[in-house]
Amino acid sequence: MFIPERVDVTDLLHSSNENELVITFESAYLIGKKTVEKYPDHHWGCWNGDASRLAVRKAQYHYGWDWGPTLMTCGPWRPINLEIYTSRIADLYFTTEVDQSLKSAEVVAKADIEGERLEVKFEISLDGKTVSSETAKVEEGFATATFRTQNPQLWYPATYGKQPLYLLTAILVSGDKEYDKASKRFGLRKAELIQRKLDDVPGTTFFFEINNISIFCGGSNWIPADTFIPSISAQRYRDWVKLVVDGNQVMIRVWGGGIFEEQAFYDACDEMGVLVWQDFLFGCGNYPAYPEFLDLVKREATANVKLLRHHPSIVIWAGNNEDYQYQESENLDYDPNDKDPQSWLKSSFPARYIYEKILVDVTKELIPGTYYHFGSPWGGVDTRDPTVGDIHQWNVWHGTQEKYQNFDKLTGRFVSEFGMEAFPNIKTIDGFLPEGVNDVDRYPQSSTVDFHNKADGHERRMALYLVENMQYKFDPFEQYVYCTQLMQAECLASAYRLWKRQWKGPGREYCAGALVWQINDCWPVTSWAIVDYHLRPKHAYFTVKRELAPITIGLKRTTHRTPADKYTRAYVKTVHKVEMWASNLTLEKRIVDVQLKAWDVLSGKETYSKTLHNAFTLEPNRSVEITEFDVPVENKDTDEQARIVVAAYLVEAGKQVARYVNWPEPLKYAHLQKPKKLDIRLSADAACIEMSAEVPVKGVALECEDDTVVFSDNCVDMVPGETVVIGVTGLRKGEHDKLGVRYLGL
């Protein structure tokens, strides 16, 4: 499925008659089953799908995954072309090198030629203007030219700079005759993965440096956007990538159980400044290593690296998804001290040869300037080692099912997977119910709704995290869906907030990235996605967007208990504190005022208001601790702290640049009041919505039946005395009646 094939049909075509192309597809499923039987000595096993998938180079998620259906698609999925030529450009490619000073760059353009000995005219342009050109002779089917430029326009990730894209064009000529022409866009950037010792803790860093800028990679994992891949248009790819950028995310990981994505996807990432982590297509299993399979793997890797190597957005390739974790779980052979690739082929984990030999060789030859990672996760003593490489942190939801408030204790140098499930938009649910809003199965535990969740044990796990954190009910269905989304939103925001706190500057990059599982879905489903199949953002999309803003402020409550003496359990002094920090991901020092306020959740009374710091310095590109304080209460030695909502603000030059509202947790214990004056107003120009309330309100979510109405933010916490303004498009003046609202405790 992943190897583009070229077949010479010269002797098969008839010039006088109509020609017909007939392609016969055998059953991929049956071929896989027969291959398993053919190699009984191999340890066939996997997570998700059927083990026979390991023998077939087909998109692995088609066999079913814990977020997708089992649909074994078949047929041509990319265009089929008939080419007639005497000479052609078989491949156009290049290497780029940006000087450490960023003041000069070198581009070595290369072209592989089939046919007569000709010349290749290479041309580099930017914004339609020729920058440089050179003509080179074709020798032994190859032509090359070297270009050097001063003060190049550099490509940066979103929010760090612009994304200028040069165009390399090659024209195959002989005298005045043009035989072929090919073009590829590229960006000039210096990209490195930095793994060096940290100042004061064990292990090494794992962060990306683009044009000498250290990047905290907040982002998402990507799965194929549809089970039926050809149905995904170029515009739909752009819409997805735009959601990523609009959500303040700078990296997306193309997961190894899907496909090498369409060029439109990577083009959008190039144009919008999204860094791409690209997996090779192996996932969650023990792949075989018989000779024919290894030959297929090498052809596949070579072909697809060639197809994608021009994209400046791709900054890392990884050998697989969780195959080393599978090896560990099954106790398959793996001796890190064994450096003999031939011995790996004789072990119970022969796929090591793929990840540590074949893919190493392919990437070293074709993309020597791009980092290759053996797998994801990978590093350290094992795949769970938080001090080296990347980890997949699934002890929230899966594993030990930890509380999501403790993500700071579940950290790693780079967390490339973590997540929490939530139901999709209620409109998406109504769309898959046969009778829509009138369907008899329109309730959370129905068979139809349950069918649209493929995660093992999802009923128990969803219930666990809901019951631990908030009061909820099944009826009305809309409010239950809201609660699952609020729970996901709180969970993921907690992760980003706490892990970004650990990005503390040079020598202290304790955590350098967090990629949520996942941004998208391949069908209408309840899953870990933060945007559902129909591109409808869940509430987590917005809370993650706020946590990944360039400047943020964070709060975390802690409880400290001290017995009066060693003999008592009755006389215990309990102190409730709040830790405060701020994150500045911009490249400039920022001077801010730090303000703190508090309210009683029962009465709505403001109980505290103070500027803690004037002219506090936020150093660039790092998080900084600000202070720790007792929960502000009017009457100490009472349980009043359990009623106090605390809000922190950063104000720069009189303008609020960051805000965070901290609630007593778990939220299920909070006596939330229903607001009597929840005011939702559409501005006169219909460009924004203004919201206010007389009591603290948790998770105020705007809703609209019309999908053309788009909110810039959502699921916000309200406190008395404030007006929250949310941008909106798609509404006209006076259409406030189209808006609905929902909140916790409604």
Side-chain angles (χ1 to χ4, degrees), residues 220-413:
S220 294
N221 283 268
W222 169 270
I223 65 171
D226 206 293
T227 297
F228 303 103
I229 300 164
S231 69
I232 312 169
S233 67
Q235 184 58 51
R236 192 168 178 85
Y237 275 120
R238 292 190 63 82
D239 292 343
W240 274 114
V241 175
K242 189 174 187 303
L243 273 170
V244 170
V245 175
D246 290 347
N248 293 322
Q249 301 182 33
V250 298
M251 176 172 272
I252 195 163
R253 172 177 172 245
V254 180
W255 167 75
I259 62 172
F260 297 107
E261 278 297 344
E262 300 291 347
Q263 294 289 349
F265 170 83
Y266 301 100
D267 287 343
C269 291
D270 293 344
E271 293 167 15
M272 299 186 210
V274 177
L275 300 176
V276 174
W277 172 313
Q278 177 68 54
D279 281 0
F280 284 98
L281 303 185
F282 305 91
C284 299
N286 184 31
Y287 286 83
Y290 51 89
E292 296 86 353
F293 189 82
L294 296 181
D295 289 343
L296 198 63
V297 166
K298 185 174 182 179
R299 286 182 58 213
E300 175 187 306
T302 299
N304 286 281
V305 169
K306 285 182 176 182
L307 284 172
L308 300 178
R309 59 183 167 180
H310 63 286
H311 291 287
S313 53
I314 301 177
V315 294
I316 182 174
W317 288 75
N320 64 81
N321 172 78
E322 296 185 354
D323 289 1
Y324 285 102
Q325 281 192 325
Y326 184 83
Q327 170 263 317
E328 291 170 356
S329 72
E330 296 295 309
N331 294 313
L332 303 179
D333 299 335
Y334 191 88
D335 179 1
N337 297 316
D338 179 3
K339 305 301 181 182
D340 177 17
Q342 293 303 313
S343 71
W344 306 340
L345 294 172
K346 302 172 186 176
S347 72
S348 59
F349 183 56
R352 180 182 182 183
Y353 188 89
I354 296 174
Y355 316 134
E356 299 183 34
K357 174 59 177 168
I358 292 178
L359 299 182
V360 168
D361 292 345
V362 169
T363 54
K364 186 176 181 180
E365 176 187 355
L366 299 178
I367 46 171
T370 303
Y371 183 78
Y372 171 71
H373 198 47
F374 286 167
S376 181
W378 170 262
V381 176
D382 56 32
T383 59
R384 298 178 299 278
D385 188 341
T387 68
V388 179
D390 69 312
I391 65 167
H392 291 184
Q393 183 48 268
W394 281 109
N395 281 320
V396 170
W397 183 268
H398 290 303
T400 54
Q401 298 179 354
E402 303 290 333
K403 296 181 184 298
Y404 60 68
Q405 289 85 353
N406 297 329
F407 265 124
D408 50 350
K409 300 175 184 177
L410 304 171
T411 188
R413 297 291 173 250

Side-chain angles (χ1 to χ4, degrees), residues 509-540:
E509 301 96 341
Y510 307 126
C511 181
L515 308 179
V516 68
W517 186 271
Q518 63 221 59
I519 183 69
N520 64 323
D521 278 324
C522 68
W523 71 313
V525 64
T526 295
S527 77
W528 297 273
I530 62 174
V531 181
D532 75 26
Y533 173 76
H534 294 293
L535 288 97
R536 293 166 175 151
K538 299 180 187 179
H539 297 323

Side-chain angles (χ1 to χ4, degrees), residues 458-503:
H458 63 85
E459 302 94 339
R460 287 174 283 122
R461 296 176 193 196
M462 185 83 75
L464 169 66
Y465 283 100
L466 280 170
V467 79
E468 275 189 347
N469 288 286
M470 62 190 66
Q471 299 180 41
Y472 69 98
K473 51 189 176 182
F474 288 135
D475 189 30
F477 193 10
E478 290 83 352
Q479 187 67 11
Y480 175 77
V481 169
Y482 162 83
C483 286
T484 70
Q485 289 199 14
L486 177 62
M487 183 262 293
Q488 181 194 43
E490 291 288 292
C491 170
L492 301 185
S494 173
Y496 281 104
R497 186 183 316 119
L498 294 170
W499 288 334
K500 197 170 72 165
R501 182 185 186 181
Q502 298 175 8
W503 176 254

Side-chain angles (χ1 to χ4, degrees), residues 96-98 154-156 187-191 210-211 311-315 369-370:
T96 63
E97 185 173 350
V98 176
L154 299 180
W155 184 96
Y156 285 88
L188 290 173
R189 87 289 190 269
K190 184 178 176 62
I210 310 297
N211 300 332
H311 291 287
S313 53
I314 301 177
V315 294
T370 303

